[in-house]
Amino acid sequence: MTKTVLLTGGLGFIGSHTYVALVEAGYRVIILDDLSNAKASVQTRLAQITQQNEVRFYQGSVLDRGLLDRIFKQEDVTAVIHFAAKKAVGESTTDPIGYFETNISGLLNLLQAMKAAEVWNLVFSSSATVYGDATKVPTPEDSPLSSTNPYGYTKLAGEQILNQAAMADPWVFGILRYFNPVGAHPSGLIGEDPQDIPNNLVPYIAKVATGELSALQVFGDDYPTRDGTGERDYVHVMDLARGHVLSLGALLANGTSHTVNLGTGRAYSVLEVADAYEKASGRAVPRIIKPRRAGDVAISQADVTRAGQLLNFEARFDIHDMCQSSWHWISTGAQDAASDEPSGQ
């Protein structure tokens, strides 16, 4: 019997790619999204990629308990993959209460609705931010946890909530700590589409390559790294999507919870990423060196040993693949052609 998965925030960057991976793996998938950081037209593109007549979609928030109860009553959900959350570190420092409401209250509301429906399987979108300023690089999952901003706090709190809840009820959780997701689907139909000046490196570089921004601002070139600029573990969004399918499969097969890093296990510097994007796009990416930013660390890199052992996960794509897929998405203009017209139930 085909299992039904609810994706909260399923029209967003990582959610939409995971939708494709789940459908290709044989799951029936339902999306819940409030369109606060996504476009309804992504439905059409998901239908095109997966060759489906319809993408099952409910427009609304995880804060709407009545809507969640209706979905669980109507759709015979087996498991949930929970993406719906605010995710910008900088914004979280100016709107901590908004982040607590969406990311923590939203998770609690979802768990209450799941418990009422006796749906006990959940894959949770966490983040490497829970390691704070990691003391060990590459960073394993048993490293000390901390938060340095409200966004990181909400992810850490979310993990703690799940771990405590599992002591009282038969929950099975897959907690996935992402490092730095980038890239796009090979079709060029879906990808990362920030509405303003991007907070993340690769979308920022993309806007420099298209001429929307004049130059890449490099914050610090005196770190103890290969070229003096900060190094990060970037993971292709298609690898990340596959990681969610593997996590869900493990939960359903084994009935055992897990917490794993999802990354490549390799860190690339700011200048290396800019060079790779220049090669992928054939466009210049001018750079301006700026002073270090407060709170930035020299290197952030995943230890992916546990993901390999528990999920048989290994990243298939490198930084060149990530930049090529990003440029394909940007250069097709699909994100500019997208409509903002809402639809759904």
Side-chain angles (χ1 to χ4, degrees), residues 179-319:
F179 275 66
N180 295 270
V182 296
H185 189 269
S187 66
L189 291 172
I190 55 173
E192 190 168 11
D193 189 16
Q195 303 303 307
D196 300 309
I197 294 177
N199 293 304
N200 298 325
L201 178 63
V202 172
Y204 195 105
I205 290 175
K207 287 187 178 294
V208 175
T210 61
E212 292 180 61
L213 297 172
S214 61
L216 171 65
Q217 298 185 62
V218 179
F219 295 99
D221 64 350
D222 58 351
Y223 286 103
T225 59
R226 289 187 296 274
D227 59 24
T229 63
E231 295 178 1
R232 301 289 180 269
D233 189 334
Y234 297 94
V235 57
H236 198 297
V237 66
M238 293 306 301
D239 279 328
L240 197 61
R242 185 167 48 85
H244 287 78
V245 176
L246 292 171
S247 175
L248 177 61
L251 296 185
L252 297 178
N254 304 327
T256 304
S257 297
H258 54 257
T259 298
V260 301
N261 293 329
L262 290 183
T264 63
R266 175 179 174 181
Y268 298 93
S269 75
V270 175
L271 298 184
E272 287 172 334
V273 176
D275 288 343
Y277 213 95
E278 284 187 334
K279 184 175 181 180
S281 65
R283 305 285 186 90
V285 178
R287 306 101 193 259
I288 298 174
I289 305 300
K290 296 277 191 175
R292 293 188 189 186
R293 289 182 300 195
D296 280 353
V297 299
I299 304 174
S300 174
Q301 181 179 343
D303 182 331
V304 294
T305 304
R306 186 187 290 183
Q309 292 171 340
L310 298 184
L311 305 182
N312 197 28
F313 173 83
E314 182 178 2
R316 297 173 178 172
F317 303 107
D318 64 16
I319 194 64

Side-chain angles (χ1 to χ4, degrees), residues 112-123:
Q112 289 172 335
M114 290 177 66
K115 181 175 180 177
E118 297 186 344
V119 176
W120 303 108
N121 302 293
L122 175 73
V123 177

Side-chain angles (χ1 to χ4, degrees), residues 46-67:
L46 290 177
Q48 184 177 346
I49 293 169
T50 58
Q51 299 183 330
Q52 292 179 310
N53 293 326
E54 177 191 21
V55 173
R56 191 79 170 143
F57 170 58
Y58 291 82
Q59 183 178 343
S61 169
V62 289
L63 294 168
D64 185 343
R65 175 62 189 275
L67 175 58

